[in-house]
């Protein structure tokens, strides 16, 4: 029963939250809107299985694109700012995740390596039950 509830929440939760953010989309930054949807994804993942968390992440990405990025109410993104997640740690810029390639300059090798390392750590965090530990000890 809990898994069914989590799967239903994975589909409906991001949709309802994104829909609730529509009146504020001109005043709310895309970063803040995305973080609000991340909270929904984390909540679903916490009550359900990995499948529910993955489904919630896909649902959140789709509804973020549909309701909160221009052109509104279309499944398309017109600017690269909409598909980039910058990562900071201890006040330092660590890199970025790019969800799909776009036109323009290719990021330097070091930035791409940082993104790969961050993605690897994220995957490692999703693979563990306990807290993520630094590789140095």
């Amino acid at each position: 029963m809990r898994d069914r509830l989590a799967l239903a929440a994975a589909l409906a939760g991001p949709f309802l939250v994104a829909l609730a953010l529509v009146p504020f989309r001109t005043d709310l930054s895309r970063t803040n809107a995305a973080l609000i949807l991340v909270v929904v994804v984390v909540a679903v993942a916490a009550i359900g299985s990995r499948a529910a968390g993955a489904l919630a992440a896909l649902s959140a990405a789709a509804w973020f694109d549909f309701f909160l990025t221009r052109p509104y109410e279309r499944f398309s993104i017109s600017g690269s700012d909409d598909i980039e997640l910058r990562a900071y740690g201890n006040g330092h810029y660590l890199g970025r995740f790019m969800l799909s390639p776009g036109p323009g300059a290719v990021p330097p090798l070091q930035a791409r390596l940082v993104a790969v390392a961050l993605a690897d750590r994220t995957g490692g965090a999703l693979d563990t039950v306990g807290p993520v530990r630094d590789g140095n000890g």
Side-chain angles (χ1 to χ4, degrees), residues 103-121:
V106 175
L109 177 61
Q110 185 61 33
R112 293 187 312 237
L113 291 174
V114 169
V116 169
L118 290 171
D120 183 53
R121 284 190 167 237

Side-chain angles (χ1 to χ4, degrees), residues 37-73:
L37 287 170
V38 166
V39 170
V40 175
V41 171
V42 170
V44 168
I47 65 167
S49 63
R50 285 187 185 164
L55 185 60
L58 293 172
S59 178
W63 297 123
F64 176 81
D65 177 20
F66 190 78
F67 287 120
L68 304 172
T69 61
R70 291 178 191 212
Y72 297 129
E73 298 174 13

Side-chain angles (χ1 to χ4, degrees), residues 73-119:
E73 298 174 13
R74 293 206 172 114
F75 286 110
S76 64
I77 296 175
S78 61
S80 64
D81 289 342
D82 295 336
I83 56 172
E84 178 180 297
L85 174 64
R86 292 179 179 253
Y88 294 88
N90 295 328
H92 300 295
Y93 175 73
L94 298 175
R96 63 186 177 179
F97 290 94
M98 295 179 65
L99 302 179
S100 66
V106 175
L109 177 61
Q110 185 61 33
R112 293 187 312 237
L113 291 174
V114 169
V116 169
L118 290 171

